[in-house]
Amino acid sequence: MNSSGWIQLILYVGLLLALTKPIGLYLCKVLDADGKTFLDPVFKPLERLTYKLFGVDPKKEQDWKRYTIAMLLFSMVSMLFTYAILRLQAVLPLNPQKMAAVSEHLAFNTAASFTTNTNWQAYGGESTMSYLSQMVALTFHNFLSAAVGIAIAAALIRGISRDRAKTVGNFWVDITRISYYLLLPICVLFAVVLISQGMIQNFKPYDAASLVDPYTTQVPKVDDKGNAVNGPDGKAVMVDQKVDTQNIAQGPMASQVAIKMLGTNGGGYVNANAAHPFENPTPLSNFLQMLSIFAIGSGLTYYLGRTVKHQGHGWSVWAAMMILFLAGALVCWHYEAAGNPNLTALGVDPAGGNMEGKEVRFGIFNSALFATITTDASCGAVNSMHDSFTPLGGLVPLLNIELGEIIIGGVGAGLYGMFVFVILAVFIAGLMVGRTPEFLGKKIEPYDIKMASIVILVLAWSILGFSAWACLSKWGVADPATHQLTDGTNNNGPHGFSEILYAYSSTTGNNGSAFAGIGVNTPWYNTTLGLATLFGRFAMIVPIMALAGSLARKKLVPESAGTFPVSGILFTTLLMGTILIVGALNFFPALALGPIVEHFLMHAGKLF
């Protein structure tokens, strides 16, 4: 842990704080159907045309049920649209590399993943997706899934702020304004900045470079029809193949990376994601990408305070997020900088820390910081491989996801996820003092607590349930190439368990990053992980919207001397305690079986 890392961390938090209020103020205008922005001359005619084409009355608001149904129908249709493009990819244009159609189970997984803002990838982008699929099927969702998250957060905040109201906004107006006035302009600007750093943006076919040092590798033998040939033992027959060229990926990369970060999507254009020099060319591009992941989510906390007319509450929520973020970043940085004691015992200089799986261009601090940010924010972009982290270094991104990714969180999703813990914190405070729980003038009643509890239970049920199923099933622990049972996945013991647990945590939490070390492009994994993304998104949004409708109908009651304050040090401390106790303890037994026991075994000389 060196001085340059501390300077970067202070600079990062300082710039994020400086951006929070301006972005929050702009969000107040964007999320107001009658709000006026400096972009009105450009986008207002387009906004009106969109409403006219789709028959939307921008003056007519919806109750929480109609708002939710509109969101679900929109998501279903857009998911089918993406599935169709992926299945028909081979016959569609903008496919200079002649990419084949995506398989049924992988197309389902990818369509579900991008619809839910998860962007989990069981494929290598540069070897699987055509330019059309990258731009239309995937980048399309990067914008609209992010817009849906922000819209749900806005509907919830309106429900909190309104007095005896029946409506929470208009879904179609919200996603239209978010797309036109927020996401499109900032992504165009950010894409230009990324291009200036050396990121590519073109439609060229891939380049082929001759290797200075050709090599021979073994690959599965295939017949004339391209099917794998198996030997008498049922295992794939391997043959030698000489490799003397390397394909250099090309394509419209900057435009996808811009929304991938600002929309907390995370889906990489190439398999190596932000560790690839095309997706992340310079230290400055790395810093700006980390800043962009948190930018909109941080601004939403200011929007919360301004809309509910209690700015102290918004800043208290932001403070709780920042304290938890800094704690995670420092723990991850510490253990990665400490390195592996088994290598130190062999004479390796411990000053280098754990550089396995990390880009030398970025080093340990920027890898640990990126890993913490991307899992705090349900982004899923990575500039290092989390599977190569030390056990407790890898525990940080895993725990971040399992807390519900409410530490800034995904755009919109982080704020409405954090609100569940706010409701629980207020409820606990009310029980402690013997008063009816109250939040910003609204009485918190049994129905509200039930809805908040469902959100917590869905997260735990999906992550732990699917993980247990995979661990106990042949499809979950078999070698994906040979289908032979192993002691774990690509790693055995607690590390193999962590790989499975991380996969279902990432998909349920709509994060999309992978612990790696696990082959998931199989029918069972693609199907169950795709279902986990859908549960993690929509089984949480429905009770959240029910909560928004319940709060909107309530009467605003003036604060009294006995009202529990929802700002200041006391509230921030209670909120963080609720997050750690209610959120973390659900997963402590699983974490103990994975990274925690692996940490102690590592110090005993056992590696996996």
Side-chain angles (χ1 to χ4, degrees), residues 73-253:
L73 290 174
F74 173 78
S75 298
M76 180 185 70
V77 171
S78 61
M79 178 177 166
L80 292 173
F81 170 76
T82 295
Y83 180 84
I85 289 180
L86 297 180
R87 295 290 293 133
L88 297 171
Q89 175 177 268
V91 298
L92 293 174
L94 289 177
N95 187 9
Q97 299 306 122
K98 307 299 180 184
M99 299 293 186
V102 179
S103 66
E104 298 97 327
H105 55 85
L106 181 57
F108 164 74
N109 179 283
T110 304
S113 176
F114 278 76
T115 300
T116 57
N117 199 238
T118 306
N119 302 73
W120 170 268
Q121 295 173 286
Y123 62 88
E126 67 269 51
S127 60
T128 308
M129 298 297 173
S130 70
Y131 293 166
L132 183 75
S133 295
Q134 294 274 22
M135 288 190 306
V136 179
L138 305 186
T139 305
F140 160 79
H141 274 300
N142 285 355
F143 279 92
L144 291 174
S145 65
V148 168
I150 297 171
I152 297 299
L156 176 60
I157 293 170
R158 292 186 195 115
I160 299 168
S161 64
R162 292 181 176 181
D163 184 10
R164 288 168 287 188
K166 296 181 179 180
T167 60
V168 292
N170 185 308
F171 174 76
W172 307 110
V173 172
D174 284 341
I175 62 167
T176 299
R177 289 185 61 82
I178 292 165
S179 298
Y180 287 161
Y181 293 98
L182 178 65
L183 297 178
L184 277 172
I186 60 172
C187 286
V188 169
L189 179 62
F190 191 37
V192 171
V193 172
L194 293 175
I195 291 170
S196 75
Q197 293 299 298
M199 193 174 293
I200 63 171
Q201 179 75 14
N202 59 48
F203 290 98
K204 292 171 54 181
Y206 289 6
D207 291 328
S210 298
L211 296 181
V212 175
D213 187 13
Y215 63 94
T216 300
T217 186
Q218 286 204 318
V219 298
K221 182 179 179 180
V222 296
D223 58 23
D224 295 338
K225 297 181 180 179
N227 299 317
V229 177
N230 294 328
D233 58 357
K235 295 183 178 181
V237 175
M238 307 300 289
V239 295
D240 289 340
Q241 183 179 77
K242 185 178 180 180
V243 180
D244 53 15
T245 61
Q246 178 183 350
N247 283 333
I248 308 299
Q250 301 292 329
M253 193 175 294

Side-chain angles (χ1 to χ4, degrees), residues 511-535:
N511 183 270
S513 67
F515 214 51
I518 176 173
V520 293
N521 191 14
T522 61
W524 274 102
Y525 264 122
N526 275 329
T527 302
T528 55
L529 289 166
L531 290 173
T533 66
L534 296 173
F535 287 144

Side-chain angles (χ1 to χ4, degrees), residues 148-399:
V148 168
I150 297 171
I152 297 299
L156 176 60
I157 293 170
R158 292 186 195 115
I160 299 168
S161 64
R162 292 181 176 181
D163 184 10
R164 288 168 287 188
K166 296 181 179 180
T167 60
V168 292
N170 185 308
F171 174 76
W172 307 110
V173 172
D174 284 341
I175 62 167
T176 299
R177 289 185 61 82
I178 292 165
S179 298
Y180 287 161
Y181 293 98
L182 178 65
L183 297 178
L184 277 172
I186 60 172
C187 286
V188 169
L189 179 62
F190 191 37
V192 171
V193 172
L194 293 175
I195 291 170
S196 75
Q197 293 299 298
M199 193 174 293
I200 63 171
Q201 179 75 14
N202 59 48
F203 290 98
K204 292 171 54 181
Y206 289 6
D207 291 328
S210 298
L211 296 181
V212 175
D213 187 13
Y215 63 94
T216 300
T217 186
Q218 286 204 318
V219 298
K221 182 179 179 180
V222 296
D223 58 23
D224 295 338
K225 297 181 180 179
N227 299 317
V229 177
N230 294 328
D233 58 357
K235 295 183 178 181
V237 175
M238 307 300 289
V239 295
D240 289 340
Q241 183 179 77
K242 185 178 180 180
V243 180
D244 53 15
T245 61
Q246 178 183 350
N247 283 333
I248 308 299
Q250 301 292 329
M253 193 175 294
S255 56
Q256 180 164 326
V257 171
I259 184 59
K260 148 188 160 180
M261 297 301 186
L262 285 162
T264 61
N265 295 282
Y269 189 92
V270 295
N271 195 35
N273 211 282
H276 195 285
F278 280 4
E279 282 210 35
N280 200 358
T282 67
L284 179 59
S285 72
N286 186 69
F287 184 85
L288 292 176
Q289 287 186 47
M290 290 191 293
L291 190 62
S292 66
I293 292 171
F294 268 6
I296 296 176
S298 183
L300 278 167
T301 63
Y302 191 87
Y303 166 75
L304 165 66
R306 178 59 66 98
T307 304
V308 301
K309 297 180 174 59
H310 196 317
Q311 205 65 64
H313 176 63
W315 283 121
S316 294
V317 171
W318 187 89
M321 291 176 171
M322 280 298 102
I323 293 170
L324 292 171
F325 155 65
L326 289 171
L330 292 175
V331 169
C332 188
W333 182 18
H334 168 76
Y335 283 103
E336 292 309 297
N340 189 327
N342 294 279
L343 297 180
T344 304
L346 294 173
V348 177
D349 185 0
N354 176 35
M355 278 298 295
E356 180 189 335
K358 297 178 178 64
E359 262 289 302
V360 176
R361 295 178 298 141
F362 304 134
I364 287 174
F365 170 75
N366 279 290
S367 299
L369 183 61
F370 203 115
T372 305
I373 291 169
T374 198
T375 51
D376 278 339
S378 78
C379 180
V382 296
N383 74 348
S384 60
M385 300 301 108
H386 299 176
D387 190 46
S388 294
F389 279 29
T390 59
L392 294 189
L395 180 144
V396 170
L398 180 55
L399 180 59

